[in-house]
Amino acid sequence: MKKTKLGEFEELVLMTVVVLQADAYGVEIKRELESRLNETLSVGSIQSALKRMEEKGFLKSEFGEASQKRGGKRKRIYQATPHAHKVLQEMKDVRSQLWASMPSMVRS
Amino acid sequence: MNYTKNDIQPPRWSLQLLKFFVKKNYLEEIEGDMEEVFEDNLEIYSTKKARRLYNREVIKLLKPNLVRALGGNHQLNYFGMLQHNLLITLRGFWRHKTSFLINLIGLSTGLAAALLIFLWVQDERSIDTFHEKNDQLYWVMANFAINDDVRTWDYTTGRLADALLADFPEVEESVRVGNGFFRPRGTVAYEETLFEVNGLFAGTNFFEMMTYEVILGNPREAILNKNSVAISESLATSIFGSSQNAIGKTLDWEDRLVNKEFEITAVFKAPPKNASKHFNIVLNYDNLIERDRWADEWNGGYAQTYVILKKGTNIDDFNRKIAGYMNLKSDSDRFTLFVQKYADNYLYGEYTSGIQTGGRIENVRLFTFIGIFILAIACINFMNLSTAQASKKLKEVGVKKAIGAKRIALIFQFLSESILLATFSLILSIGIVSLTLQQFNVISGKSLDLSLQQYLLPITGLVVLTGIFAGSYPAFYLSGFKPAAILKGKLANPRSEGWIRKGLVIVQFSLSVIFIIGVIVINQQIEFTQKKSLGYDRESILTFRERGATYQDPQPFFNELMKIPGVLGAANMSGDFLTADDNNSGFSWIEGTKDDDNHLFKSPKVGYNFIETLGLEILEGRSFSRDFNDGIGSIILNEAAVEYMELDNPIGTKIGWSEDLTMEVIGVVKNFQYGSLHNKIEPLILQFRKTGKKHFVKLQPGSEVETIAAVEKAFETLHPGQIFKGSLLADDYTDLYHSENKVADLSNYMAGIAIIISCLGLFGLAAFTAERRTKEIGIRKILGASQRVIIGLLTSSFTKTVVISIVLALPLGYLAVSKWLENFAYAVEIQWWVFALAGLACLVIAWITVGFQTIKASMVNPAQCLRNE
């Protein structure tokens, strides 16, 4: 855990990238997360999180095809690295262990 | 909606902003995302709202990791260049330690001298400017025509102030103040204890018009009453312990001018140190009138008159209006009034024949020039050394130009180098100034302090200017080389370069020679004032003033004094001897010889024994004597007066003074210097007054200290309630040349600094030349040149330069000193040897400076210097 610095919001974005697979580009991630979280997010916060995670090695990216809708600008498709998968798994493990050890009262 | 979605664009300025700040490699993606979101929003919301949302999104994109570095690559280059320049500069300083040190020492000494002078000049200029209405405050002066000349007086009649206020609409306010002759000075008593006071008679609105802050009491009513006085805070503290205690207390004052009790009604803050008038007690002017009715007569001259003129008054017009005012009011038609700014009177206080000719401003100008010259000499060092070393920088310049540096960038580099050096020097010089300021204050008689905050702007300006001035020539010179020529190894016309350098050295040394001449002549003149025979004896004469309220016969006191073994003689006079301000007019003799009252004579009033005590020489007739029972009718003339009055046989001549008095000449005294040597010996009439209060005691040389103590004791026994304050006549005489002595002291130091800086520069140049010519010297030696020939070779070029500068400096120096000597009626003659000495001294100093380097160079082993390439 110690070497991974993954914030809460970053984790959500990362998981969305994994979920969306080939569709994982900025606006699509934003839409997906907005609908799941039921709140509005800014392009800036999504982009900032994506760039940060790319720098830390959780994501890699490449340009996709250009589309009419974006004024001819290309999308950048993001993909989680194996390291990211591992970290996500670790975090999930830690959480489920913690859940398992919690008293039943809270669990319901 | 007629638009298709694609026609509606996001707000343009917002998009521009986005393009401006987002990192370049993220731009396409983010711009695309933003556009997609915008289109989504267009489908849901109105165009307006979509645009608003777009704007908001752009603002939210301002995240540290999305925004590109401030300024970007473009400006990083400038920064890099500055860094590089700094590095090169510092390396250069490190590599050429000698010339760096020479420059640093020279510039910092020069800057320190300039800073000190700047502080001094600033202080002189600030004198009397602290008054709130400084811009409107004027001093009414009078030109008085007499003896076919015009004298300018800073005093006028006591009635003028009120009259001007009444008759001229331009005058907003006016006040009269007793003039220098009528200032109440003496001792006041509070419960038996005596205190020294230095006062002023002033009109009742004095504290309202002039800015001397009243701390306690009402400024309007401070001296409204004849029996009330205002005293300064420090006097209040020394008498009563605090200002509060002083109010309402009574002071007892017994003096010739003032003799009564006063109630203290106000306490004021002592005049600031940049005030020309210092006083610690202020009395109502009516007290002066009470003692002397002439203080309030149109024909008297007892007051200084200050006025506040309305804003926007044209001074020339106003002067024209008041010029003839006195003719209407008094029975004399010789007065012409004019006003001068109150604050200007300190600097521009001298008049010749009624025309403003100078004053202290001359010293201010003199020192401003000296400061600029010293700084220029230091800057020249920098110019010379950096151009001399140009060859070492040529490659750098060539390479830089070849890879595309513009000339302006190089100029900038060299200028920043000199500004950096100037900044280092400034830091050093501020250190020097704060170390020497104490000493400088002693020499200049000021209490200056260096407040960096106050002078931050001028000082920064000075440094930048110095840097630019010093760096300008090298910067333009070095940056002008053609890269191809440099890299091929061709020097750009070294001949003209040498001439400019020589020219600069000539300027330096010319200034130094002028300084030396100036210093010699100033010191000669100072010595002359001390050594010149004045026609009287001023050594071992103790002088002091008796300040009692009434005139009394001093004879009992003198009898007491004569009993003291060390006392050789005692005498008295009215007024003062050295200030020489006792004039009288209105004399007439042998009817019709000259126009009646148009003669002004110096006219001191002396008692018995005065002539003997001061050692004046009687040429004809006799001195005042008890045997003849002399009175006001006996007078003694000096030779100048005899000549002026065209008397063939002066003894016994009857001279009329005013209508009811005829006086008789009983003797002629040899001409003597009445006052300082600034003034010519003028016609003088010695009158007799028995009861003068200025005393002179001739002491036996050798035992002065004990005798003075005995005199003091006798004085205090016979004059209870008075403080004895004696001084030696010789010291008072020296004080007459106070300002000249200061100029002499200061210019001695400044000349020394100028010469040292010049020599530093020459030393650097010599070292450089010797180094550059090592190979030449080596070859010459191999071919058989002796050490002497080499020394001659190296010295001759410097000698030529210095000789040229001496030749140039001599006439300039002559002009400068003869102008200065014009201030004196009696001055030393300018002798040729002064110039010879100054020139020779400069040459010798130059030789010594260069000699060390030259001898070192001539001793070099040719094998050594030719071997290494």
Side-chain angles (χ1 to χ4, degrees):
Chain A
M1 276 297 285
K2 43 196 178 307
K3 50 191 182 296
T4 60
K5 285 273 165 57
L6 204 54
E8 187 207 7
F9 185 70
E10 285 173 357
E11 191 188 351
L12 288 172
V13 175
L14 182 57
M15 287 167 82
T16 317
V17 169
V18 179
V19 168
L20 288 173
Q21 297 206 348
D23 263 348
Y25 73 97
V27 187
E28 195 52 45
I29 298 168
K30 179 172 168 301
R31 286 197 202 103
E32 180 69 27
L33 256 184
E34 275 176 345
S35 67
R36 282 179 191 270
L37 295 178
N38 204 14
E39 61 177 285
T40 330
L41 298 169
S42 72
V43 178
S45 55
I46 300 284
Q47 282 293 350
S48 162
L50 285 171
K51 301 297 185 249
R52 245 178 292 146
M53 284 192 288
E54 194 171 8
E55 225 164 81
K56 288 185 209 164
F58 293 113
L59 291 174
K60 54 185 184 186
S61 67
E62 54 189 16
F63 277 120
E65 81 290 357
S67 85
Q68 190 56 39
K69 205 183 177 188
R70 296 165 55 89
K73 275 114 195 157
R74 287 176 294 172
K75 296 170 184 170
R76 188 175 271 278
I77 310 293
Y78 290 87
Q79 200 185 349
T81 58
H83 171 61
H85 285 290
K86 208 177 110 207
V87 170
L88 281 175
Q89 190 60 51
E90 272 172 19
M91 288 180 87
K92 194 194 161 201
D93 291 348
V94 170
R95 287 213 172 95
S96 40
Q97 279 163 26
L98 280 170
W99 276 109
S101 348
M102 276 205 282
S104 52
M105 233 173 76
V106 186
R107 215 191 300 173
S108 67
Chain B
M1 273 220 283
N2 293 331
Y3 310 107
T4 65
K5 282 182 292 183
N6 280 345
D7 290 336
I8 303 169
Q9 297 294 320
R12 188 180 304 163
W13 67 266
S14 214
L15 184 66
Q16 290 297 331
L17 184 71
L18 176 88
K19 281 181 176 164
F20 172 74
F21 71 72
V22 170
K23 275 184 188 162
K24 253 203 176 110
N25 44 345
Y26 295 167
L27 186 62
E28 182 176 354
E29 177 199 1
I30 291 179
E31 208 189 323
D33 278 10
M34 290 292 288
E35 204 154 315
E36 198 178 325
V37 171
F38 179 66
E39 278 165 27
D40 287 352
N41 284 340
L42 271 182
E43 281 166 19
I44 317 170
Y45 310 113
S46 68
T47 317
K48 225 174 172 181
K49 183 159 186 187
R51 282 167 164 256
R52 205 166 58 232
L53 285 171
Y54 186 90
N55 290 341
R56 195 180 297 165
E57 291 279 8
V58 168
I59 300 300
K60 282 184 178 169
L61 270 171
L62 280 168
K63 310 246 172 186
N65 59 339
L66 301 180
V67 173
R68 70 179 182 201
L70 243 180
N73 301 338
H74 190 58
Q75 280 201 347
L76 275 175
N77 252 341
Y78 274 118
F79 181 68
M81 189 179 77
L82 281 174
Q83 217 173 17
H84 169 80
N85 282 352
L86 186 71
L87 189 68
I88 295 267
T89 308
L90 291 177
R91 271 186 198 154
F93 289 165
W94 188 245
R95 190 171 308 148
H96 311 296
K97 285 189 202 76
T98 328
S99 58
F100 169 64
L101 278 179
I102 287 173
N103 282 329
L104 188 69
I105 295 170
L107 268 183
S108 53
T109 325
L111 272 175
L115 269 181
L116 287 174
I117 288 174
F118 170 79
L119 288 177
W120 182 83
V121 166
Q122 203 62 20
D123 192 73
E124 285 285 285
R125 287 194 174 280
S126 77
I127 299 280
D128 279 345
T129 52
F130 58 88
H131 292 286
E132 214 172 278
K133 291 187 175 165
N134 179 36
D135 292 340
Q136 294 161 265
L137 187 59
Y138 286 83
W139 187 326
V140 184
M141 316 281 266
N143 276 335
F144 186 68
I146 194 143
N147 289 11
D148 308 320
D149 196 4
V150 179
R151 317 238 165 175
T152 303
W153 292 337
D154 64 2
Y155 49 88
T156 47
T157 155
R159 305 197 72 153
L160 190 63
D162 285 347
L164 285 177
L165 183 63
D167 289 350
F168 294 93
E170 291 91 337
V171 179
E172 212 170 82
E173 239 182 312
S174 67
V175 72
R176 61 183 173 183
V177 171
N179 78 24
F181 212 75
F182 300 101
R183 281 185 66 170
R185 294 186 166 110
T187 48
V188 293
Y190 177 71
E191 291 178 349
E192 309 296 298
T193 322
L194 298 175
F195 297 91
E196 193 84 23
V197 291
N198 174 10
L200 214 58
F201 290 114
T204 50
N205 58 341
F206 180 72
F207 285 106
E208 286 173 86
M209 207 174 123
M210 318 287 277
T211 310
Y212 299 106
E213 195 192 334
V214 173
I215 312 172
L216 281 174
N218 185 343
R220 200 174 308 250
E221 288 160 10
I223 48 172
L224 200 58
N225 186 312
K226 252 203 311 201
N227 298 319
S228 55
V229 289
I231 64 173
S232 77
E233 197 181 7
S234 52
L235 184 65
T237 318
S238 64
I239 303 182
F240 305 102
S242 81
S243 310
Q244 278 80 10
N245 284 345
I247 299 290
K249 294 276 168 35
T250 312
L251 288 178
D252 194 18
W253 193 333
E254 262 182 55
D255 197 319
R256 185 178 60 83
L257 277 173
V258 191
N259 186 9
K260 60 160 106 168
E261 288 193 341
F262 291 98
E263 192 197 341
I264 298 165
T265 45
V267 175
F268 61 91
K269 218 174 181 155
K273 64 180 184 187
N274 63 347
S276 61
K277 272 198 175 60
H278 288 273
F279 49 89
N280 57 13
I281 190 161
V282 180
L283 284 68
N284 191 318
Y285 187 83
D286 291 344
N287 286 300
L288 182 59
I289 303 172
E290 201 172 72
R291 292 307 276 189
D292 192 337
R293 67 174 180 91
W294 286 97
D296 199 31
E297 295 282 342
W298 277 106
N299 289 331
Y302 281 50
Q304 291 173 349
T305 308
Y306 312 141
V307 292
I308 286 187
L309 298 182
K310 289 215 169 75
K311 275 197 178 118
T313 305
N314 184 324
I315 298 306
D316 290 336
D317 289 346
F318 184 68
N319 277 339
R320 231 165 284 142
K321 275 173 84 174
I322 61 167
Y325 189 64
M326 285 300 284
N327 299 350
L328 305 175
K329 298 286 183 177
S330 70
D331 38 356
S332 166
D333 58 355
R334 300 172 187 282
F335 283 104
T336 314
L337 294 181
F338 66 100
V339 294
Q340 191 189 22
K341 264 196 82 176
Y342 180 78
D344 282 351
N345 195 56
Y346 177 77
L347 286 179
Y348 303 88
E350 256 170 41
Y351 295 83
T352 318
S353 304
I355 294 157
Q356 210 285 310
T357 46
R360 289 183 183 84
I361 189 69
E362 284 167 19
N363 287 343
V364 170
R365 286 196 194 120
L366 180 68
F367 281 106
T368 311
F369 281 131
I370 291 179
I372 293 173
F373 284 154
I374 288 182
L375 207 53
I377 291 178
C379 289
I380 287 175
N381 276 354
F382 180 84
M383 290 183 193
N384 271 348
L385 290 177
S386 38
T387 48
Q389 283 164 349
S391 55
K392 290 177 178 161
K393 286 213 161 149
L394 281 180
K395 289 226 168 66
E396 182 194 332
V397 172
V399 171
K400 278 192 171 164
K401 278 196 155 184
I403 58 174
K406 291 208 177 90
R407 190 175 177 191
I408 191 87
L410 289 170
I411 291 176
F412 179 74
Q413 183 199 334
F414 292 125
L415 281 184
S416 62
E417 189 176 315
S418 59
I419 291 175
L420 188 72
L421 184 73
T423 314
F424 283 159
S425 312
L426 176 76
I427 295 166
L428 203 59
S429 71
I430 286 174
I432 298 175
V433 169
S434 43
L435 283 178
T436 54
L437 198 59
Q438 207 70 30
Q439 188 61 29
F440 184 75
N441 279 338
V442 174
I443 300 167
S444 66
K446 294 220 172 251
S447 46
L448 306 170
D449 47 10
L450 181 68
S451 95
L452 284 179
Q453 273 158 329
Q454 191 185 347
Y455 297 126
L456 190 64
L457 207 69
I459 288 175
T460 322
L462 186 71
V463 167
V464 173
L465 270 182
T466 311
I468 289 177
F469 177 61
S472 58
Y473 173 59
F476 288 96
Y477 170 72
L478 287 172
S479 61
F481 292 128
K482 295 215 160 50
I486 299 169
L487 295 176
K488 261 190 230 159
K490 280 182 195 157
L491 255 171
N493 52 359
R495 183 166 277 269
S496 75
E497 169 208 339
W499 269 111
I500 290 176
R501 211 177 300 147
K502 268 184 198 144
L504 290 173
V505 173
I506 288 174
V507 171
Q508 271 185 323
F509 270 81
S510 300
L511 288 174
S512 300
V513 173
I514 294 174
F515 280 155
I516 295 179
I517 295 173
V519 163
I520 298 177
V521 171
I522 289 175
N523 286 304
Q524 271 187 329
Q525 176 66 19
I526 295 292
E527 206 186 298
F528 175 76
T529 59
Q530 293 302 310
K531 290 252 173 81
K532 184 177 191 299
S533 159
L534 299 170
Y536 63 90
D537 191 8
R538 64 176 187 278
E539 294 307 321
S540 309
I541 287 186
L542 174 70
T543 162
F544 53 90
R545 188 170 281 282
E546 189 267 310
R547 299 169 194 273
T550 51
Y551 286 103
Q552 47 179 312
D553 187 0
Q555 205 51 51
F557 176 51
F558 287 162
N559 290 342
E560 207 57 42
L561 286 182
M562 294 308 289
K563 287 182 195 156
I564 300 168
V567 172
L568 300 179
N572 64 330
M573 73 178 289
S574 302
D576 189 68
F577 186 65
L578 287 172
T579 49
D581 52 2
D582 207 350
N583 301 314
N584 283 123
S585 59
F587 298 102
S588 59
W589 60 94
I590 317 175
E591 303 282 324
T593 319
K594 289 220 173 170
D595 174 22
D596 249 12
D597 67 340
N598 191 10
H599 308 289
L600 190 75
F601 286 86
K602 295 280 173 192
S603 195
K605 283 97 184 160
V606 306
Y608 290 127
N609 263 334
F610 180 84
I611 291 175
E612 290 75 13
T613 307
L614 266 83
L616 300 179
E617 197 181 323
I618 295 282
L619 294 176
E620 278 180 72
R622 60 173 178 89
S623 169
F624 297 118
S625 159
R626 238 171 250 117
D627 301 339
F628 292 86
N629 200 18
D630 281 315
I632 199 164
S634 305
I635 55 173
I636 294 176
L637 306 180
N638 72 350
E639 291 171 285
V642 174
E643 197 180 320
Y644 180 78
M645 295 161 90
E646 294 166 3
L647 301 176
D648 293 330
N649 200 358
I651 307 296
T653 308
K654 303 272 189 239
I655 288 175
W657 194 27
S658 63
E659 262 132 57
D660 43 0
L661 182 62
T662 307
M663 306 186 293
E664 189 187 333
V665 179
I666 60 160
V668 175
V669 75
K670 199 168 182 241
N671 276 344
F672 64 95
Q673 187 71 40
Y674 182 50
S676 80
L677 291 170
H678 289 105
N679 308 313
K680 272 207 162 60
I681 292 176
E682 286 174 272
L684 176 140
I685 296 178
L686 270 177
Q687 300 189 48
F688 182 77
R689 297 284 187 286
K690 207 170 168 185
T691 52
K693 285 176 174 292
K694 178 91 175 170
H695 292 9
F696 298 86
V697 177
K698 176 92 178 154
L699 308 171
Q700 172 90 49
S703 63
E704 282 96 341
V705 181
E706 305 92 79
T707 317
I708 291 174
V711 170
E712 177 171 359
K713 211 171 150 213
F715 178 87
E716 280 174 356
T717 323
L718 272 134
H719 305 100
Q722 289 191 45
I723 300 172
F724 177 82
K725 255 182 83 180
S727 58
L728 290 171
L729 190 60
D731 292 348
D732 293 352
Y733 177 76
T734 308
D735 281 350
L736 291 178
Y737 307 99
H738 188 70
S739 133
E740 282 79 13
N741 285 330
K742 298 230 140 101
V743 171
D745 281 350
L746 280 181
S747 49
N748 284 353
Y749 285 101
M750 292 305 164
I753 290 173
I755 293 162
I756 289 171
I757 299 175
S758 305
C759 286
L760 272 177
L762 198 63
F763 180 81
L765 270 187
F768 173 76
T769 321
E771 189 191 321
R772 205 166 55 170
R773 291 174 81 170
T774 10
K775 284 222 169 62
E776 181 194 334
I777 293 166
I779 291 168
R780 280 177 191 272
K781 281 191 105 172
I782 282 174
L783 294 176
S786 70
Q787 199 172 324
R788 225 184 54 215
V789 172
I790 305 280
I791 293 177
L793 179 79
L794 286 174
T795 319
S796 68
S797 65
F798 286 114
T799 310
K800 255 185 259 164
T801 323
V802 174
V803 167
I804 293 174
S805 56
I806 292 170
V807 169
L808 283 177
L810 293 185
L812 290 173
Y814 179 81
L815 280 180
V817 291
S818 44
K819 181 100 181 72
W820 187 76
L821 287 176
E822 274 172 21
N823 288 328
F824 293 86
Y826 300 96
V828 282
E829 273 178 54
I830 304 173
Q831 285 143 315
W832 66 268
W833 63 262
V834 171
F835 298 91
L837 182 71
L840 203 66
C842 225
L843 201 58
V844 169
I845 291 171
W847 273 336
I848 292 172
T849 314
V850 195
F852 175 68
Q853 292 294 335
T854 316
I855 291 169
K856 202 175 91 182
S858 68
M859 291 202 299
V860 76
N861 180 355
Q864 284 266 285
C865 63
L866 289 177
R867 193 171 49 196
N868 52 22
E869 173 66 323

